[in-house]
Amino acid sequence: MSINVGQPVPDFTAQATGDTTVTLSQLRGKQVVIYFYPKDSTPGCTTEGGDFRDRKAAFDEVDTRVFGVSRDGLRAHENFKAKQEFNFELISDKDESLCRLFDVIKLKKMYGKEHLGVERSTFLIDREGKLAREWRGVKVPGHAEEVLEAARELHAAR
């Protein structure tokens, strides 16, 4: 199953850092950025999270909540969040339910071996809970800024 741009994103509830539970339907009225990344405390994921962290005030200005998602557990997420001073919550998706919902588990190659892993992907959900934009196979440099620009455009268009 995959969600197409313009379609409603099915409601979900997931455990996140800060002892919080994230339920998509409770975020109606706000724009939501959900970015999927492979693993806590790895170089690309640290850079990407830092780029979102450094733009949090700008995302707040356009009424947009940011969440990072990986298959790591909450303890690893809490450590990663604290060490990098992330000012947004990280969702733990150990059972891969969100990864499957957004179709981000892909066959990847590392050191010549194939394995299933998370394809770095970002989704922008509008105030009504519809998928407004998606980025798949993300390259980290400049990505958070591009997502912020899309969030600004979506905010301005309402």
Side-chain angles (χ1 to χ4, degrees):
M1 156 162 177
S2 70
I3 308 157
N4 295 316
V5 170
Q7 288 186 325
V9 176
D11 197 20
F12 64 81
T13 298
Q15 293 306 118
T17 50
D19 205 21
T20 57
T21 301
V22 176
T23 300
L24 184 61
S25 59
Q26 291 176 351
L27 296 167
R28 288 280 192 288
K30 293 195 177 299
Q31 297 179 164
V32 178
V33 168
I34 299 177
Y35 78 93
F36 288 84
Y37 63 95
K39 187 136 185 62
D40 288 346
S41 304
T42 56
C45 301
T46 299
T47 300
E48 184 177 26
D51 288 348
F52 278 107
R53 174 197 63 216
D54 296 347
R55 287 165 179 77
K56 180 168 188 311
F59 277 107
D60 288 347
E61 284 170 20
V62 291
D63 212 16
T64 304
R65 297 278 308 271
V66 174
F67 298 96
V69 182
S70 82
R71 298 180 296 180
D72 294 293
L74 285 173
R75 193 155 79 219
H77 271 356
E78 292 288 3
N79 292 338
F80 186 38
K81 181 184 167 196
K83 188 173 180 191
Q84 301 305 325
E85 299 178 357
F86 290 159
N87 45 15
F88 55 88
E89 303 306 334
L90 300 176
I91 294 172
S92 174
D93 191 34
K94 278 178 106 64
D95 69 358
E96 298 180 357
S97 58
L98 279 183
C99 289
R100 283 195 302 276
L101 178 66
F102 286 91
D103 191 29
V104 300
I105 301 284
K106 303 291 179 193
L107 198 58
K108 298 168 97 177
K109 267 196 170 147
M110 193 176 336
Y111 308 117
K113 289 192 168 83
E114 289 188 337
H115 70 285
L116 287 175
V118 173
E119 177 183 52
R120 195 179 300 278
S121 307
T122 301
F123 301 88
L124 174 60
I125 301 167
D126 72 13
R127 281 172 191 71
E128 285 80 52
K130 290 186 182 130
L131 183 60
R133 289 277 307 269
E134 66 177 11
W135 294 262
R136 293 182 179 272
V138 165
K139 301 288 180 252
V140 172
H143 177 62
E145 187 59 39
E146 188 181 336
V147 175
L148 176 58
E149 282 308 310
R152 283 181 175 139
E153 288 168 20
L154 187 61
H155 183 74
R158 66 178 186 145

